[in-house]
Amino acid sequence: MSTLPPTGQLIPVDAPFSAAQESWLAGFIAGIAAAGKRAAGGAPTTTVDVLFGTQTGNAEFLADELVAGAKTRGLGGRATPLDAVTPEQLAGMSHVLVVTSTYGEGEMPDNAGLFWDALQASTVPRLEGLQYAVLGLGDTSYDEFCQAGKLLDTRFEQLGATRIHDRVDCDVDFEDPAALWSAAVLDRLAAAAGAQPAASGPAAGATPSSAAAGGTGAGRASRPGSQWTKRTPYRAPLVVNRLLSAPRSAKEIRHFEFDLGDSGIEYAAGDALAVVPHNNPALVDQLLTHLGADGSADVDGRPLAEVLRTDREIRTPSKDLVADLVQRAPASELAAVVSHGDKHELDRWLWGRDVLDLLRDAGSAAPTMEELLPTLRGLQARQYSISSSPLAHPGRVHLTVASVRYGDAHRTHAGVASTYLADRVQADGEVGVYLQPNAAFGVPADGDAPMVMIGPGTGIAPFRGFLHERAAAGATGRNWLFFGDQHRDTDFVYEDELTELQERGVLDRLDLAFSRDQAEKVYVQTRMREQAAELYRWLEDGAHVYVCGDASRMAKDVEQALVEVIRTGRGRDEDDAHAYLADLRRAKRYVRDVY
């Protein structure tokens, strides 16, 4: 029987692969070699439990990758949301890998909060028999970077579990560090179990195309068109750009449609679409002029102006830039704010300011362009909830986006992606996009189940898709939408569609809250309280509740209103209402898409 040579002899040292891609290729080759040996063997002797906490889906897809990677190494594997695991079940596990994002100000993501609460109880069982490792996903622009992962890592150790690999905290470009961590952890587990170890395991079972693109994952690979990523986005023609809000509105909300063409992208209602934007050339020119830099200067074989336009974040200042400017200009306004040590004061001061604003504040102490570039983060894709259904809109994907514009007499500021789409992409111009699946946020699998949707402003986006999905699928479950904004006559987006859906019997109830049409402000949570008795009846009838929109205020206010609805309906105390809501979370009947 012929055997493959060692993987190190198959991948040339000068091959043009990243570390993650070499890791995947080595594991792929080793997996093929090991497959024959395992065929005659028995069932895996070690099962790896991959527990994930996710807000947008990335942690879940990495969990799928880890399970696939475990199986290629002769290990057993299963992926489970953290909230689906009790401390008692956890204590019965032998090998656990935790992958979790961080939500808000260092909080657990929605499907991990209940697990974390239970893990802090004084009665939680010890975990001496458990071996574990943690992978954190986060964003270094937030102070509590990867805090959820750090908390879980520490708590597992406190309870006596044995760490088998150091925690890795990943920034927004998580693919390569996540792939290297996955390979190292799985190889160690395979070696300890006596399974056939790979010289360097796959990024975790991703397809070759996804590994070549940065290891985006088996979860994404389960859907056609998953080869499109932020590194290799699909160039989708923008075929519709329509203003939804009235010209007199204080907001500018637009409806966009993209032609998916031959991309192979298959999305589900509730998924998100990531848009790869370009910075405004006018802002790039202002930045170059302010620093006296030549836009045609070479930066790694490309003109500086192009690098600033397509590759660097010049809208939102990075922490590195803030720290650098404080050191360079200790007498600046920024330095004075930082010196107070008040995070919230700094956030308030930075809100709305861009890189150029901070450079101007630094005056003559500002860095040169050459010094500035290393402090600028990579330009990130912006994710938007999809507002269409593939059943009702085959071959197209819709977005509902508020264009961000503000300023004063001195300068006008604009959102990077929102105004890129609104202003700078011509008719049928192409935009780089890729799918961001969200398996936790979708219409109920049971077409008879009632559905309550709460989404003011652009939070209506996924619910437009949900309603079209249910109409196209012939679902019979009742549908109730809470929607609102500032003024009915200028901000009632999709009014004609919603009216038609009501007339067709698809939308059973529509409760509206236009906050500034009367002296006392009215919000969606106001309407929820007004309809508390009926809303509780829907919950008792098995309704699924969905919330989409602003995380900092709206989502919290809506949750408090929901607790009050439950407390009133059950006639018990608030603790009982919170327990009822926790049960809804565990049953995936209360889910949120918040930002």
Side-chain angles (χ1 to χ4, degrees):
M1 176 179 174
S2 63
T3 59
L4 291 169
T7 56
Q9 298 177 22
L10 290 173
I11 304 176
V13 294
D14 59 349
F17 300 128
S18 69
Q21 291 165 357
E22 285 191 17
S23 173
W24 184 90
L25 287 168
F28 181 72
I29 295 166
I32 293 174
K37 297 180 181 180
R38 292 196 302 269
T45 58
T46 298
T47 296
V48 181
D49 282 286
V50 184
L51 311 182
F52 62 88
T54 188
Q55 196 70 34
T56 63
N58 286 329
E60 182 174 2
F61 303 133
L62 289 177
D64 289 341
E65 289 184 330
L66 282 163
V67 169
K71 292 178 179 178
T72 66
R73 290 163 171 81
L75 303 168
R78 56 196 172 203
T80 310
L82 279 162
D83 274 359
V85 177
T86 66
E88 292 71 26
Q89 291 170 327
L90 179 67
M93 297 174 181
S94 59
H95 301 82
V96 170
L97 303 181
V98 177
V99 185
T100 185
S101 61
T102 295
Y103 158 72
E105 297 297 326
E107 301 165 31
M108 294 288 162
D110 276 4
N111 71 336
L114 298 176
F115 175 83
W116 174 240
D117 291 343
L119 205 62
Q120 296 179 86
S122 59
T123 56
V124 66
R126 299 286 297 174
L127 303 177
E128 270 86 1
L130 184 146
Q131 299 182 48
Y132 79 100
V134 176
L135 179 69
L137 305 182
D139 184 337
T140 51
S141 66
Y142 290 91
D143 287 338
E144 303 296 340
F145 172 60
C146 287
Q147 183 67 11
K150 295 173 184 177
L151 290 172
L152 289 170
D153 188 28
T154 300
R155 187 57 175 156
F156 272 55
E157 183 180 42
Q158 291 172 342
L159 293 173
T162 301
R163 187 183 293 108
I164 56 178
H165 195 282
D166 290 340
R167 186 190 73 251
V168 167
D169 299 327
C170 302
D171 202 355
V172 287
D173 291 320
F174 63 84
E175 287 86 354
D176 282 353
L180 294 173
W181 179 90
S182 301
V185 172
L186 291 174
D187 284 348
R188 182 171 297 185
L189 289 172
Q196 178 66 36
S200 182
T207 62
S209 61
S210 65
T216 53
R220 289 186 181 88
S222 66
R223 292 188 186 175
S226 60
Q227 72 269 28
W228 309 113
T229 70
K230 59 186 165 187
R231 298 183 183 182
T232 57
Y234 177 69
R235 303 295 300 177
L238 177 60
V239 294
V240 174
N241 174 356
R242 184 175 77 247
L243 182 65
L244 292 175
S245 50
R248 302 185 315 282
S249 174
K251 301 181 179 183
E252 179 189 322
I253 301 178
R254 291 185 172 272
H255 174 88
F256 299 104
E257 296 185 18
F258 298 90
D259 185 348
L260 295 177
D262 60 355
S263 67
I265 293 174
E266 292 186 4
Y267 69 93
D271 285 345
L273 189 74
V275 172
V276 180
H278 292 168
N279 286 310
N280 191 334
L283 179 56
V284 171
D285 290 343
Q286 288 178 309
L287 197 57
L288 291 168
T289 299
H290 182 77
L291 294 180
D294 180 3
S296 64
D298 183 87
V299 178
D300 296 329
R302 300 171 61 203
L304 170 60
E306 181 184 337
V307 170
L308 291 174
R309 184 175 64 87
T310 63
D311 290 3
R312 302 299 173 93
E313 189 70 64
I314 61 175
R315 175 64 194 83
T316 305
S318 68
K319 284 188 174 181
D320 288 344
L321 176 59
V322 170
D324 183 60
L325 291 177
V326 168
Q327 185 175 18
R328 289 175 180 273
S332 67
E333 186 178 349
L334 170 62
V337 173
V338 170
S339 69
H340 296 159
D342 186 330
K343 173 187 174 299
H344 296 294
E345 182 185 359
L346 177 60
D347 287 344
R348 284 193 297 270
W349 191 88
L350 287 173
W351 190 92
R353 286 180 163 93
D354 60 17
V355 170
L356 180 56
D357 289 323
L358 268 60
L359 294 177
R360 288 177 171 175
D361 176 64
S364 60
T368 64
M369 181 61 75
E370 185 177 8
E371 294 167 330
L372 174 67
L373 280 177
T375 70
L376 301 179
R377 303 180 74 204
L379 182 59
Q380 297 300 313
R382 270 57 171 178
Q383 295 181 16
Y384 297 101
S385 299
I386 292 173
S387 57
S388 55
S389 158
L391 298 182
H393 312 98
R396 288 196 178 187
V397 62
H398 301 179
L399 299 181
T400 307
V401 179
S403 301
V404 177
R405 306 180 195 273
Y406 60 95
D408 53 31
H410 304 288
R411 277 199 66 198
T412 299
H413 295 76
V416 177
S418 63
T419 58
Y420 169 64
L421 294 175
D423 303 340
R424 298 192 296 281
V425 181
Q426 302 303 312
D428 290 324
E430 294 182 344
V431 177
V433 301
Y434 60 93
L435 186 65
Q436 182 67 55
N438 189 349
F441 198 83
V443 298
D446 180 2
D448 295 333
M451 188 168 65
V452 176
M453 300 157 286
I454 306 162
T458 54
I460 194 176
F463 305 138
R464 175 180 182 264
F466 281 17
L467 290 168
H468 284 295
E469 176 90 358
R470 283 203 133 183
T476 58
R478 293 173 293 160
N479 302 303
W480 187 349
L481 173 65
F482 289 88
F483 170 75
D485 211 310
Q486 293 185 356
H487 299 285
R488 179 171 184 143
D489 64 340
T490 59
D491 304 314
F492 192 175
V493 299
Y494 299 120
E495 179 178 7
D496 292 344
E497 285 190 25
L498 294 176
T499 299
E500 181 188 0
L501 288 166
Q502 280 187 292
E503 293 172 350
R504 291 168 53 191
V506 175
L507 181 56
D508 297 86
R509 293 201 56 155
L510 175 61
D511 279 64
L512 301 171
F514 293 100
S515 60
R516 302 185 184 181
D517 278 349
Q518 59 282 311
E520 183 177 351
K521 291 185 177 179
V522 173
Y523 300 104
V524 288
Q525 58 267 28
T526 311
R527 300 303 186 210
M528 291 170 63
R529 291 186 177 97
E530 291 173 352
Q531 302 298 329
E534 182 66 12
L535 185 52
Y536 180 69
R537 278 193 289 271
W538 279 53
L539 294 178
E540 287 291 279
D541 288 343
H544 292 235
V545 180
Y546 302 87
V547 181
C548 181
D550 169 56
S552 61
R553 295 187 61 180
M554 184 279 296
K556 293 178 180 179
D557 291 343
V558 164
E559 181 159 310
Q560 182 55 42
L562 194 56
V563 168
E564 293 175 22
V565 166
I566 295 167
R567 179 178 56 79
T568 302
R570 290 173 64 79
R572 300 179 184 177
D573 61 18
E574 190 160 311
D575 287 343
D576 174 81
H578 280 291
Y580 185 101
L581 190 61
D583 287 340
L584 293 181
R585 285 188 190 273
R586 292 189 188 94
K588 302 297 182 285
R589 287 179 48 206
Y590 173 49
V591 292
R592 308 188 306 171
D593 178 12
V594 295
Y595 39 85

